[in-house]
Structures are given as structure tokens and as C-alpha cells.
Amino acid sequence: MWLKPEEVLLKNALKLWLMERSNDYFVLQRRRGYGEEGGGGLTGLLVGTLDSVLDSTAKVAPFRILHQTPDSQVYLSIACGANREEITKHWDWLEQNIMKTLSVFDSNEDITNFVQGKIRGLIAEEGKHSFAKEDDPEKFREALLKFEKSFGLPEQEKLVTYYSCSYWKGRVPCQGWLYLSTNFLSFYSFLLGSEIKLVISWDAISKLEKTSNVILTESIHVCSQGENHYFSMFLHINETYLLMEQLANYAIKRLFDKETFDNDPVLDDPLQITKRGLEYRAHSEQFNAFFRLPKEETLKEVHECFLWVPFGHFSTHGKMCISENYICFASQDCNLCSVIIPLREVLAVDKTDDSSKSVIISIKGKTAFRFNDVKDSEQVVAKLRLKCGAAATQCDVSTEVALSSDSTGLSGNVEEQSLTCPKESSKTVNTEALMTVFHPQNLENLDSKMLKEKMKEQSWNILFSECGRGVSMFRTKKTRDLVVRGIPETLRGELWMLFSGAVNDMATNPGYYAEVVEQSLGTCNLATEEIERDLRRSLPEHPAFQSDTGISALRRVLTAYAYRNPKIGYCQAMNILTSVLLLYAKEEEAFWLLVAVCERMLPDYFNRRIIGALVDQAVFEELIRDHLPQLTEHMTDMTFFSSVSLSWFLTLFISVLPIESAVNVVDCFFYDGIKAILQLGLAILDYNLEKLLTCKDDAEAVTALNRFFDNVINKDSPLPSSVQQGSNMIDEKSGHSRVDITDLIRESNEKYGSIRYEDIHSMRCRNRLYVIQTLEETTKQNVLRVVSQDVKMKPHELDELYVIFKKELFISCYWCSSCPGLKHHDPSLPYLEQYQIDCQQFRVLYHLLSPWAHSANRDSLALWTFRLLDENSDCLINFREFSSAIDIMYNGSFTEKLKLLFKLHIPPAYTEVMSKDSSKGDELSTEELLYFSQLHISKPANEKETESGKNSPEKGKGKIDIQAYLSQWQDEIFKKEENIKDLPRMNQSQFIQFSKTLYNLFHEDPEEESLYQAIAIVTNLLLRMEEVGRKLHSPTSSAKGFSGPSEGKTESHMGKDPSSPREEPQWSFAFEQILASLLNEPALVRFFEKPIDLKTKLENAKTSQLKSRTKI
């Protein structure tokens, strides 16, 4: 590898390097200790250790080339090599291309300048095709070379970054280098002759966390397949940890969580991942989550500045963040002040002429924001003007929802929008919130609760007059305080839209909801069936959902969302949440609120495996351990909290709290996100701490919590008593004290408000690994439980085989942006069907595991075995099918092994295989293998339809045919043992191939000669028997006689061409004939019955699985 020329002092270097070649201008050196017997003694060991620890060119490669100028001790390093062949190639190139040219220069200085320029040109040329594009390309290229040399991973494996650190082996730290690549975490160390090499795939990691103890002040703990690894002494441990976290979560999403990954095209190609790209992505995600912006937004620029707060008459220091469509600001103390300015609202961007470097942004509604001390303010203004020009053009085309400081609020504007949309009709879509229809406020009869409600409204109006109203309002600590007290009924819909960011989605997609409603009308699938079933269960006690108005609106919103996002479709709990949204928001607003909740605020909550909810439950358990340790000590089994809190997270407490109290929780959720739910959960457990500590079992604890929820009230709720579900009328004799929801929320903020968004995000990432790996372990255990009934393998062998099977599927997906294996992975399928391999993956496993893999025609055997196992002809096989073949090869009886070989040489498994490249012998290319695996015996069309109906329980639009699954399951239960008499006969060409296969299997066996002799005897005997059989039977009586019950099948084989009866008939053999003949040869029986050590084979396969992929 060519290196950027750097000076080297040769006098000191001679202690570490040995000269191998030299001429007038160049020197080729070898690292001391490399390539010498015994490692070069003590000096070699010390040099090896130095190479491992020091960050220098010397650590990278054992060979290097220096450019020298006569009469100077200063040399320039220009190339290095991992082996002699590589460095010799560079040396020869220099001698052939550079040496002749150097003689024309007059001075040494000119020679050096020419060599430096030439080498830099070579590096630039190489860099066009290199993956190395980091901050310091030279060091990165050196690290890339050592990474490739140390671990021997395929060249497609992309190194993202590397760090110097210590790996703790027991209680001894080993200094070395940690390499983070797209699919692996790798560590290399060489200390005093002791080499440590560690390669862990990201998808195998179940725990990744920062820890500290007495010995390790701060370290990164990695748990993979039950083994713990600790890395410490990082220069930037937080940066390292965040990158590891991102890479691990990316791998988990890509390989295990297909639903999430398909929605995330940014990371679709593993080769495009870079350290800078990951950091950029992390900042964008944090930016979007904090300001509740659409997922498509990416953070472009961040500027430190001061924002003038007019109502407070002060400037607050913070960061101005600019994306494609938004300008956002957050003060250093996030609770102090934040602002979101959509570019669609901006009218002008100006800068002041004084030295204050101020940027003034004017928006609709006669409001302006002043940002002071903005670095490069002129450039910022120019860019924003350019962006606003583009935004203004978009605004002219689309209908705009204007939410400025003097607007009348969201409700009036949306009505205007709905009138301009030609497709939306008030007949089909409600333009009023259900609460205003079913519970209009009586302004003439103001009781104490209504007066309190009016006071709340007045407080918000005062806030609007100070901070502005609409999407660009100032959000301050006062805003949060008002939210905690409960949002007034009349403002709830508007502020939910504002705080959730749904207002931005609706503004940028005018008329979208009406279109989706129209398109989804009349659709019938599994989601719509489930929606219909749950419509009447959504707040059934509320008058709005006892009428067709509320039910129809709920149906339209849920069906429209299922149509918009078929990957989520409909999930239970969405109906409860949507019904509450419809009470306070108009129908279209409720739809966009549901979009915000499902796709941004509660990611992965409403998919088939509710992974997001499980992750947040794990985060909740972690917070319980931190904040309520006495409860953790009492409750030995933390799964209690998971089972009890699932409905809290999925329905935002709506399912457990009275509706009038639950809406206050929803207020806080839309303002603070999941943080509000976690805080409230902790406050509830803390409030009931004494009762929970006295509970003897889970049932008693659940009863105590349910009693508590029954006694939560909202004393200020203006809802009529007929609608309220709470126990305002609680019997005083019951002895249970009532708890006001406002007090409970305020207490949760006071006690647990210190929990930061960043900590929750980190805990979510950390626990996501654990949750998905736990689900995968459940899948594995279920698969093994089913398969173990059909095979003779020991449980630990079957476990190892499953790991290897799944690993092969993943390895083949590591470097492929569109892996077929991932396309077929669907967690909603039955356990056995979730992971399936194709023919190419099966061939790799066959080479690794089959005791017959030494055969010369092993590719053909792998192909025929795959075709035999692929009974439904979908070119994929699952673990049960795969393990059944391996089990016969290792644990089958003589008859079972022979039957397997026999079936491999008759249709449908057998097909004539001919490689296009004769020089490769029996080896097949990937294209040939896949082509032959897809060749299937043609069947009548009606039979194909019948089979496809049987084999595919998933029919129609997303509907699962349960009856088909039950039928398939019943067929498997009553599947009879295959009778050897039912096997078809083997014809002439198939028998010849069968004999060749046996000869190949016996090659290099200790009894090779006796086996060859035995097979010759058997073949000769069978041919003679067949010849006698033909003579005994006249052509007319061939239906009776020698071949017995299989004769009918023989006729079908032999009489394929009735038009040419005079041709010599093809001879064929039944399985019983071949079996009986082989049983007479003890050598053959011994060969097939000798025990084979499966355990050793599995261990070897695990260690060489990645290497075999590298070779391919």
C-alpha cells in the first residue's frame, strides 16, 4: 500500500528494521522478528508488542519501502506491505517506472519532490475506489490494512472507525486496537508473543452498556452469546459507545426487525455507512425527536447564538438548528425556552447593520424573532433566504395552514382548508370534535367547575398574548406548568396538534386524509375485520361512541391509517387511543395525531410484536431499579412490572384511568413524550410503595394497583357526571382515599423530572438489543422443541446446529443490500418459517457439516439434497427440513442413509448436472446452482393450484387462512412412515450416477479397496439379476412377475416412448433390490454404520463458517 511520504530517521530505525534490498534511491526493509524462526527471539517479541501498542506506521505492516537521498540520514516512508509478495510488487513497479526517470534530475531536492508528487498521485488514484474517507485518510488507510490483515474478513466488510483501548482478559488488561465495522466488533492485541484476536458480530450482542467498578473506572461491557467482554481506557469513551450502539442497533434492525428497517431506507446499503454519516444521523434523529418534526427532516446546520425573549426582556443562550423546512431554537437549559419556526411561515429574513451579528426572522402574524451573536450571520441569512424562497414556492402551490401569534387558533384554519379540498366532503368527514357535538358548554349555567375551566382558558390566553399562539409560539417553563394543570377542553385539540408536531404533517399534506379515506373505503382485509370487531369496544360508555357519528368517524380514521401504513395496519389499543383523540380533535386532526403517535412518539409500539412497548417496559424496569430500589428487592421477579404496565404504555393509561383523568395524562404525553408516561408510572408505584411491599404475591399487588386506579379522580373536570368514569361519588366508608390526577402528575414532575430525554434514548437503544435477542431466543426454543421430536440429535447438538443455520443466513446478508433471506424473514409467521435458506446457503452448510462433503461431486449432492428437502418448490428450506437431512447423515441407520442416497438419485431431487466450465470439474457456480435448484418436474396446472393452496396458508389481502394451518398441522401429525416399497424405481442413468456417488464417498477411506471391490460385486450382481429378469418375462407379460408391487411404476419409467417398442428396454432397480445386495457386503455396512462425531464437526463448522464465506 502506498503511503503519504513521511520523514523517518534511519539511525534509530535500524534497531527495529532489517534491510532486504536497496539501490541509489530506495530501501526495502523487513520488520525485525517477522518471518524469522522462533519469532526473532526477545527482540522480535518486544518489536511485536510495540507494533500492537503504538500508533505508528510500523504497527501496520512487516515490510516497508523508504525513499533515500545520498548523504542524508533522513528518509521518506512511501510504501508498506502485509506480506513479501505485496511489497515486492511495489518495489518492482518503482524499479521499472521511476528509477530511469530519476537519472534526468540534477539535484537531490528535485528527485525527492518528484517522488513525493508521484506517490501522492498514486494514493489519490487508489482513493477513488477506496472505502477510506475519514478525517485523517492516511491513518485510516493504515488501520484498514491492519484490519484486513488481522481478521481476514471479506473485502466488502467496511471499516467504520477504530480506537486504541484495553481488553480485559480476566483481571489482566491487554492493550490493543478496537475496530468497528459494519457487521463486526473486532479487537486485536499482540503483547510479548501473546496474540489476542476477537471478532463479535453485532447481531450476536444482547447487552451493550457503559459500566464502572473499583478496578475499571469506566468501561464498555459487551455481552455476546453468554460471554462478557470489557473494554476500557478509551480516549473518547462516549463517542466510542454511541457509535457501537448505533452499529449494533442498525444490525439488529436489519437482520431481526424487518418491519422497522423497511421504513428506514437511509441505512439500506451497508457499504455506505461511515463514522461521519452515523454521527450526522444521530444528531438528526435527536433533533427530530426533541422538536417533534417529521422523520424526513435532516439537521443541516447548528449555530450557537442568543434568542431575544420579548415578554421576559432578556436574551437566552442556546442553539439555532436549521433543517430543510424548519428553524428551531432550544436554550441551553431546555426547560427555559424553545421555538419552532416552519419555513412556510417565514415572510422575511434580515440581518442588522450593527456589530451584533443579529438575524431577524419575520413570520406571518406580525411576529419577528431576533437571534443575536450568530457566527457567519451573513452566510446564514443568505442560506435562509434561499430556503424560504423555495418554501414560498411550495406554499403557493399547496393550501397553507397559518398558525401565527395573532391567529384564531387551529380550528378555524382547518375548516378553511377542508373547504378548499375538492375531495373532502362534510358528509363523509366530521369537521367538529365529538366533545363539542355531544357535550356543548352551557355558558349560561356556570358552576364552580366551569368557572375553574374558564380560569384555565384565561391563563392560556394570557400565555398566548405573551408567547404567541400557534406552531411558532415560545415554549417555556410556564407552558409546562399549565400543561401539568390540565389543558382546557376547548383548547385540547389545538394544543395536542401543536405539541405533537401533527400540525406540521397536516399543513404539508393538504387533502391527504380525504384521499386516503376515499381510497380505503370498501377495502376488506384482516385489519378492517379487526377494526370492525373493536369499534364497539372503544369507550362504549361514552355517548359519542353509542351513536353512528362517533363509530363512523372512528372506523374512517382507523381504516385510513391501516391503508396508509399496511406494515402496522391495525393493532389493539389503537382504537382506544383514537377514540379519545376524536373526542377533542376534528377527524382529520385525529388522523394526524394518530400518525404522530404511531410513527414518531411511540415507535414500533403498534406492530405485530409490539417491540417498542416491550423496550419501554424494559426502560421502566431499569428506572424502577434506580429510583425505587426497595421495591426491586421485594419483587424478586421483575416481570411483574412488565405484565402490569403493558396497558399503561400501549394506551397511555386510558385503559386503566377514568377518561376525565386519562386526558390529563395525554396532555402531558403530547408535551413531554414517553418521559411523561415513565415519570407517572414511577409516581404511581411510589404512591403505592407501602402497600406493594406488604403484598405476598403478584395477584395481591395487581389488586392493590387496580384499587388505586379506581380512586383516581379529576376534581376540576367540567365533563357531565354521566360521562365521567371516576369515583367522585366514592363511598366514604370504603376507606380508600381519593387521589387527584393533577396532584399525581405534579408529584411525578417534582420527583422524577430530572430524567433526561438523552438518558431515555440511550436506555431505549440498550434495551432494544436485549428485547429483540430475548424474542429470538424464544423463537429458537420453540423451533428446537418442535424439531427435537423428529431427530435423534442431542439437545445441545441441535442447539449448535440452529445457531450455525441462522448464522449462515445472516452472513450471506452482511454484504448484500437486498438479501433474499431478509425478504422472506417475517416474525409474524410460524416459528419454523421465520428463517429459511436458499440453495447457495445450503451448499455452504453442506460443505461445512455433511460427512459426505469430501465427495468429488459434493456440489451435485448438495443440490440434490436441497431439491429433495424443498417439497413445496419455493426454493427455500426451513430448519426442520435442514436438520432432518443432517440427522440422517449422522444418526441414521444403514437403511435410512441408503434410502436418502437413493432418493437423491431419483426425481424430484435428481436432475442431470453439467457445469459450463469443464476446468472446474463437478464444481458449480452460484448461478448454475440457483438455476438447477429451480428446475422442477412440470405438473398439471390444476394440481399446482391445489398444492399452492395447501402450502400457503396466507391467502388474500393480508388474511391468514387459519383452516389451512390447522389442516397442515393435522397432516404433519398423521404423516405415516414412508414405505420403502412406495419408492419409485431407479433407471439406468440414475443408477450409474448412484454408483459414481458411492465410489466418490469411499475415496480416501481406510477400507477404500475393499469398498470399491464390494460396490463392483453389488453392481455386477444387480445387472445380472436385471438381465435374468428381462429374459424370464416376455414383452406381453411384463406386468406380472419379478419386480413385484413396484412393476406398475417400472412400466411408467420404461415405457416413456411407446412409439419405439423395438429399442432395447431400459433396465431399472427397486430400492429393495439395491438394499438387499448392499447388505450382503460387510465392508459397505461398516462404512455406513460407523459412528461419526457430530460435536467435533459442529465446533469446526462454527470456527470456519466465516472463513468459508470469505473464500467463496
Side-chain angles (χ1 to χ4, degrees):
M1 182 177 75
W2 300 110
L3 300 174
K4 181 181 174 184
E6 286 185 355
E7 289 188 356
V8 174
L9 194 60
L10 194 62
K11 184 178 178 182
N12 294 331
L14 288 173
K15 295 174 184 176
L16 304 175
W17 294 88
L18 297 173
M19 194 176 297
E20 295 229 322
R21 294 191 197 180
S22 67
N23 56 37
D24 291 342
Y25 300 105
F26 300 103
V27 177
L28 191 157
Q29 295 181 331
R30 172 173 56 81
R31 191 70 164 163
R32 192 179 288 275
Y34 182 84
E36 298 177 25
E37 288 186 15
L42 182 60
T43 309
L45 286 176
L46 290 171
V47 172
T49 301
L50 195 66
D51 289 348
S52 176
V53 175
L54 296 181
D55 180 14
S56 63
T57 306
K59 77 170 177 57
V60 175
F63 295 96
R64 70 177 181 179
I65 297 175
L66 306 178
H67 166 61
Q68 64 175 349
T69 51
D71 306 322
S72 173
Q73 283 294 313
V74 178
Y75 286 48
L76 296 174
S77 62
I78 58 170
C80 69
N83 51 56
R84 195 179 297 276
E85 184 183 354
E86 183 186 358
I87 206 70
T88 304
K89 188 177 174 184
H90 284 349
W91 180 266
D92 292 343
W93 189 89
L94 288 170
E95 287 195 325
Q96 291 165 18
N97 296 280
I98 301 291
M99 285 296 291
K100 294 176 184 176
T101 311
L102 295 182
S103 59
V104 302
F105 292 104
D106 295 327
S107 69
N108 291 335
E109 188 177 347
D110 291 342
I111 291 172
T112 301
N113 289 337
F114 174 77
V115 170
Q116 285 182 315
K118 190 67 182 175
I119 299 302
R120 286 196 177 98
L122 289 171
I123 291 171
E125 189 64 31
E126 275 184 356
K128 290 178 184 177
H129 313 290
S130 172
F131 291 143
K133 292 178 182 176
E134 292 299 313
D135 298 331
D136 189 343
E138 201 56 44
K139 278 191 173 183
F140 192 81
R141 288 173 78 248
E142 292 174 10
L144 180 61
L145 183 68
K146 179 155 190 191
F147 172 69
E148 291 171 351
K149 172 196 162 192
S150 300
F151 304 105
L153 295 170
E155 59 182 14
Q156 304 100 311
E157 181 63 14
K158 170 81 181 292
L159 178 63
V160 176
T161 190
Y162 63 102
Y163 298 96
S164 172
C165 71
S166 287
Y167 171 64
W168 289 79
K169 195 173 182 182
R171 295 192 176 186
V172 180
C174 304
Q175 184 65 26
W177 292 88
L178 181 72
Y179 298 90
L180 307 181
S181 59
T182 47
N183 297 296
F184 299 97
L185 177 157
S186 312
F187 178 83
Y188 183 82
S189 173
F190 184 85
L191 289 168
L192 298 174
S194 174
E195 184 182 56
I196 296 174
K197 197 181 289 187
L198 186 70
V199 179
I200 302 170
S201 58
W202 293 116
D203 57 83
I205 294 176
S206 57
K207 185 179 280 187
L208 180 65
E209 60 182 354
K210 279 193 293 184
T211 59
S212 59
N213 55 39
V214 179
I215 302 173
L216 305 176
T217 50
E218 207 170 14
S219 64
I220 295 174
H221 171 212
V222 177
C223 181
S224 169
Q225 295 176 343
E227 295 183 5
N228 292 304
H229 308 276
Y230 292 90
F231 302 91
S232 66
M233 300 184 193
F234 290 95
L235 190 61
H236 305 290
I237 190 165
N238 289 330
E239 175 195 297
T240 310
Y241 177 73
L242 286 172
L243 278 172
M244 290 169 75
E245 193 175 65
Q246 278 184 286
L247 286 166
N249 272 287
Y250 157 70
I252 289 288
K253 280 183 182 181
R254 182 163 187 259
L255 298 171
F256 296 122
D257 196 6
K258 185 169 172 276
E259 290 167 295
T260 308
F261 188 79
D262 283 351
N263 294 328
D264 193 358
V266 181
L267 291 176
D268 194 36
D269 186 0
L271 299 181
Q272 300 306 314
I273 296 176
T274 61
K275 177 186 172 186
R276 193 175 300 163
L278 287 171
E279 290 171 347
Y280 174 74
R281 179 182 171 82
H283 291 149
S284 284
E285 285 177 351
Q286 195 176 1
F287 165 72
N288 288 347
F290 183 81
F291 292 108
R292 308 279 161 73
L293 300 180
K295 274 186 172 182
E296 299 74 34
E297 290 299 308
T298 53
L299 182 61
K300 297 295 183 186
E301 298 176 45
V302 178
H303 301 277
E304 285 204 21
C305 62
F306 289 86
L307 173 65
W308 174 249
V309 183
F311 55 86
H313 303 290
F314 67 90
S315 289
T316 176
H317 181 242
K319 291 180 179 178
M320 177 168 65
C321 306
I322 303 171
S323 68
E324 292 96 330
N325 300 298
Y326 297 88
I327 304 164
C328 303
F329 176 87
S331 58
Q332 274 192 327
D333 176 4
C334 297
N335 294 325
L336 187 62
C337 177
S338 65
V339 170
I340 300 168
I341 309 170
L343 293 182
R344 64 178 184 270
E345 295 282 321
V346 175
L347 297 174
V349 181
D350 301 295
K351 60 183 178 66
T352 54
D353 296 328
D354 56 24
S355 59
S356 63
K357 296 181 182 179
S358 297
V359 176
I360 299 171
I361 298 172
S362 304
I363 66 167
K364 297 170 185 176
K366 300 177 183 177
T367 304
F369 296 91
R370 179 178 178 128
F371 298 91
N372 299 323
D373 288 341
V374 181
K375 192 179 178 183
D376 302 324
S377 56
E378 290 187 9
Q379 289 183 20
V380 171
V381 168
K383 286 178 184 176
L384 288 177
R385 281 176 178 169
L386 195 65
K387 279 178 179 287
C388 290
T393 309
Q394 291 173 11
C395 291
D396 293 340
V397 178
S398 63
T399 308
E400 188 58 46
V401 178
L403 287 172
S404 52
S405 58
D406 63 345
S407 71
T408 56
L410 183 66
S411 51
N413 292 305
V414 180
E415 282 182 24
E416 289 174 25
Q417 179 190 329
S418 62
L419 291 172
T420 60
C421 177
K423 289 195 178 182
E424 187 167 334
S425 166
S426 58
K427 292 179 184 177
T428 57
V429 177
N430 289 348
T431 54
E432 291 293 334
L434 294 178
M435 196 62 84
T436 59
V437 176
F438 287 89
H439 305 295
Q441 290 187 4
N442 186 356
L443 299 177
E444 295 177 5
N445 183 21
L446 291 178
D447 57 13
S448 60
K449 288 185 178 180
M450 284 305 300
L451 284 171
K452 280 188 178 179
E453 187 74 3
K454 289 298 169 189
M455 287 171 64
K456 278 188 189 177
E457 285 181 31
Q458 189 60 32
S459 299
W460 277 97
N461 288 328
I462 293 168
L463 181 78
F464 291 148
S465 65
E466 291 179 352
C467 303
R469 184 170 186 172
V471 72
S472 299
M473 71 181 285
F474 283 88
R475 303 172 195 210
T476 62
K477 189 175 183 301
K478 188 176 179 182
T479 314
R480 177 191 294 278
D481 292 340
L482 289 178
V483 170
V484 168
R485 284 171 53 190
I487 297 173
E489 303 276 306
T490 53
L491 296 174
R492 196 161 257 143
E494 175 188 343
L495 293 175
W496 282 359
M497 288 289 287
L498 184 66
F499 296 144
S500 66
V503 61
N504 296 314
D505 293 321
M506 194 166 85
T508 51
N509 294 282
Y512 175 86
Y513 176 65
E515 287 177 22
V516 175
V517 167
E518 190 175 304
Q519 290 164 4
S520 63
L521 278 176
T523 55
C524 183
N525 50 40
L526 185 64
T528 55
E529 284 183 11
E530 289 178 346
I531 288 168
E532 287 298 324
R533 187 184 64 213
D534 287 347
L535 285 175
R536 305 282 171 183
R537 303 176 188 173
S538 311
L539 298 185
E541 64 286 333
H542 198 286
F545 298 101
Q546 293 167 359
S547 73
D548 190 55
T549 306
I551 293 293
S552 299
L554 183 59
R555 178 188 291 113
R556 284 193 294 270
V557 172
L558 291 173
T559 307
Y561 186 78
Y563 185 85
R564 165 192 165 86
N565 192 343
K567 281 174 185 162
I568 289 179
Y570 171 76
C571 177
Q572 279 190 337
M574 285 170 71
N575 61 317
I576 297 171
L577 176 61
T578 309
S579 56
V580 173
L581 299 178
L582 282 165
L583 288 177
Y584 294 98
K586 297 174 186 179
E587 191 175 315
E588 185 179 8
E589 295 171 0
F591 171 79
W592 287 113
L593 283 168
L594 185 63
V595 169
V597 172
C598 294
E599 296 175 16
R600 285 203 306 275
M601 300 186 73
L602 296 179
D604 308 333
Y605 260 61
F606 301 102
N607 55 26
R608 287 167 179 171
R609 296 196 291 175
I610 58 168
I611 286 174
L614 296 174
V615 169
D616 282 345
Q617 280 187 300
V619 171
F620 187 51
E621 286 179 18
E622 200 171 322
L623 290 171
I624 292 170
R625 280 192 286 269
D626 291 343
H627 295 277
L628 300 168
Q630 61 272 51
L631 192 57
T632 311
E633 290 167 13
H634 178 70
M635 296 280 187
T636 51
D637 185 7
M638 293 293 283
T639 54
F640 162 75
F641 299 110
S642 299
S643 58
V644 104
S645 64
L646 183 60
S647 61
W648 302 0
F649 290 98
L650 281 172
T651 66
L652 308 178
F653 286 94
I654 296 169
S655 63
V656 292
L657 285 174
I659 182 67
E660 65 276 8
S661 300
V663 289
N664 283 36
V665 178
V666 179
D667 294 342
C668 296
F669 168 74
F670 280 126
Y671 191 83
D672 268 334
I674 194 63
K675 179 175 181 278
I677 305 300
L678 293 166
Q679 286 176 185
L680 184 60
L682 290 171
I684 288 167
L685 294 178
D686 188 25
Y687 191 92
N688 292 278
L689 187 60
E690 289 182 12
K691 291 178 185 174
L692 291 171
L693 290 176
T694 58
C695 292
K696 295 172 184 175
D697 54 33
D698 291 357
E700 203 176 329
V702 170
T703 305
L705 287 172
N706 286 340
R707 258 192 214 129
F708 169 78
F709 288 130
D710 289 340
N711 287 281
V712 174
I713 61 166
N714 185 351
K715 61 187 180 188
D716 297 333
S717 174
L719 290 178
S721 56
S722 59
V723 175
Q724 292 195 31
Q725 302 168 348
S727 46
N728 279 343
M729 311 300 180
I730 284 181
D731 184 3
E732 297 295 332
K733 296 177 183 178
S734 66
H736 297 293
S737 58
R738 289 175 292 181
V739 183
D740 187 68
I741 188 65
T742 308
D743 296 336
L744 194 61
I745 290 173
R746 187 181 291 112
E747 190 177 328
S748 74
N749 270 280
E750 289 170 0
K751 283 191 173 181
Y752 308 109
S754 58
I755 298 170
R756 300 186 311 151
Y757 293 104
E758 296 83 357
D759 296 335
I760 292 171
H761 175 73
S762 181
M763 283 190 280
R764 272 179 159 178
C765 289
R766 185 164 66 244
N767 284 289
R768 187 181 192 85
L769 295 175
Y770 169 74
V771 165
I772 291 185
Q773 292 289 11
T774 303
L775 290 171
E776 286 298 310
E777 182 63 25
T778 304
T779 300
K780 182 176 90 169
Q781 294 306 326
N782 281 290
V783 169
L784 297 183
R785 182 170 44 80
V786 172
V787 173
S788 62
Q789 299 169 12
D790 302 331
V791 297
K792 299 173 186 174
M793 287 185 210
K794 296 172 184 173
H796 69 273
E797 291 173 342
L798 197 60
D799 191 301
E800 290 288 315
L801 188 66
Y802 181 86
V803 170
I804 293 169
F805 174 86
K806 189 168 142 186
K807 189 69 180 176
E808 182 54 39
L809 177 65
F810 286 176
I811 288 174
S812 61
C813 300
Y814 280 166
W815 304 284
C816 177
S817 57
S818 56
C819 173
L822 291 182
K823 288 178 185 173
H824 296 290
H825 175 48
D826 184 353
S828 66
L829 289 174
Y831 292 119
L832 276 169
E833 305 302 320
Q834 288 186 21
Y835 292 110
Q836 300 182 87
I837 57 173
D838 62 20
C839 194
Q840 167 61 15
Q841 294 155 354
F842 178 80
R843 172 170 66 172
V844 176
L845 290 174
Y846 187 90
H847 289 184
L848 287 171
L849 293 167
S850 174
W852 303 338
H854 63 277
S855 173
N857 66 334
R858 62 180 186 168
D859 277 4
S860 299
L861 282 175
L863 169 67
W864 298 332
T865 308
F866 181 84
R867 285 167 59 88
L868 178 67
L869 298 173
D870 183 21
E871 292 179 5
N872 60 357
S873 304
D874 64 350
C875 299
L876 294 168
I877 63 169
N878 60 36
F879 181 69
R880 171 186 255 170
E881 294 159 340
F882 172 75
S883 60
S884 65
I886 297 296
D887 188 58
I888 291 172
M889 292 176 194
Y890 281 93
N891 300 318
S893 64
F894 175 81
T895 305
E896 288 170 333
K897 288 179 183 177
L898 196 64
K899 185 166 73 172
L900 175 61
L901 281 170
F902 182 87
K903 288 166 75 174
L904 295 182
H905 293 82
I906 57 173
Y910 180 76
T911 182
E912 289 190 18
V913 176
M914 188 67 71
S915 177
K916 292 178 184 177
D917 189 353
S918 57
S919 63
K920 290 186 176 180
D922 292 320
E923 193 177 327
L924 297 173
S925 67
T926 303
E927 293 76 18
E928 289 168 340
L929 191 74
L930 294 175
Y931 168 75
F932 287 124
S933 71
Q934 291 164 8
L935 285 178
H936 292 287
I937 297 167
S938 59
K939 295 179 182 179
N942 58 351
E943 194 179 330
K944 279 184 184 175
E945 285 173 18
T946 308
E947 280 202 14
S948 65
K950 283 181 185 176
N951 292 327
S952 57
E954 294 197 14
K955 303 177 193 172
K957 297 179 181 178
K959 286 181 75 174
I960 297 175
D961 190 348
I962 304 298
Q963 199 63 39
Y965 271 129
L966 290 171
S967 175
Q968 194 174 333
W969 178 60
Q970 191 176 22
D971 289 345
E972 288 176 7
I973 289 175
F974 294 108
K975 198 173 184 181
K976 293 179 181 177
E977 185 69 30
E978 187 177 40
N979 194 325
I980 59 174
K981 291 182 180 179
D982 296 334
L983 291 172
R985 293 174 68 85
M986 183 180 278
N987 68 25
Q988 184 174 337
S989 62
Q990 293 160 3
F991 180 74
I992 291 169
Q993 183 58 59
F994 176 74
S995 303
K996 284 181 180 177
T997 298
L998 290 177
Y999 273 105
N1000 287 329
L1001 290 181
F1002 302 150
H1003 184 57
E1004 293 185 355
D1005 190 89
E1007 293 188 68
E1008 186 175 355
E1009 284 188 29
S1010 58
L1011 286 166
Y1012 284 161
Q1013 191 176 357
I1015 200 65
I1017 293 168
V1018 169
T1019 307
N1020 185 41
L1021 176 63
L1022 286 168
L1023 290 172
R1024 283 167 60 194
M1025 285 168 63
E1026 184 60 29
E1027 189 178 343
V1028 170
R1030 283 206 306 272
K1031 288 178 181 177
L1032 287 172
H1033 293 80
S1034 64
T1036 56
S1037 62
S1038 60
K1040 309 171 184 175
F1042 178 79
S1043 297
S1046 301
E1047 192 57 45
K1049 295 182 183 178
T1050 310
E1051 190 176 352
S1052 67
H1053 274 278
M1054 294 173 62
K1056 285 182 183 177
D1057 190 1
S1059 64
S1060 54
R1062 293 185 181 180
E1063 285 186 16
E1064 186 175 339
Q1066 289 274 323
W1067 42 264
S1068 62
F1069 298 108
F1071 176 68
E1072 303 102 296
Q1073 293 174 280
I1074 296 175
L1075 176 62
S1077 305
L1078 291 173
L1079 279 169
N1080 288 325
E1081 297 298 326
L1084 291 172
V1085 176
R1086 282 198 303 273
F1087 175 82
F1088 282 107
E1089 288 194 339
K1090 67 182 175 187
I1092 309 169
D1093 187 4
L1094 176 58
K1095 185 181 176 183
T1096 306
K1097 196 76 173 176
L1098 290 169
E1099 287 173 359
N1100 293 337
K1102 277 186 87 171
T1103 55
S1104 57
Q1105 194 170 13
L1106 197 56
K1107 292 177 185 175
S1108 68
R1109 173 62 55 179
T1110 307
K1111 288 173 189 172
I1112 289 173

